[in-house]
Amino acid sequence: MEGGEKNGLVSVDKAERFLGIKKGTLANWRYHGRGPAYYKVGRRVFYAEKDLNNWLKATRVLTADCRD
């Protein structure tokens, strides 16, 4: 993810677009302690760009055809 906010935090809307995962799913994952790390300030939720990228990389599955 590039070109985020100055502090490296992005809104749930931007996280939804970047990951291609609905806000409702992200909310469900937060409730159940799953998904990418997040920050909660009052009622607002933010994601760090680096956490989204790291989480996405961690979900990578290598197939037999692409193993090094």
Side-chain angles (χ1 to χ4, degrees), residues 26-64:
L26 291 171
N28 187 298
W29 286 353
R30 288 192 304 271
Y31 179 78
H32 290 287
R34 300 181 58 208
Y38 63 95
Y39 294 89
K40 188 159 185 181
V41 181
R43 292 179 152 201
R44 297 188 67 194
V45 174
F46 300 94
Y47 291 92
E49 290 181 2
K50 65 180 171 75
D51 289 336
L52 293 176
N53 282 312
N54 290 338
W55 180 81
L56 193 58
K57 287 176 186 175
T59 64
R60 183 177 182 217
V61 177
L62 295 176
T63 64

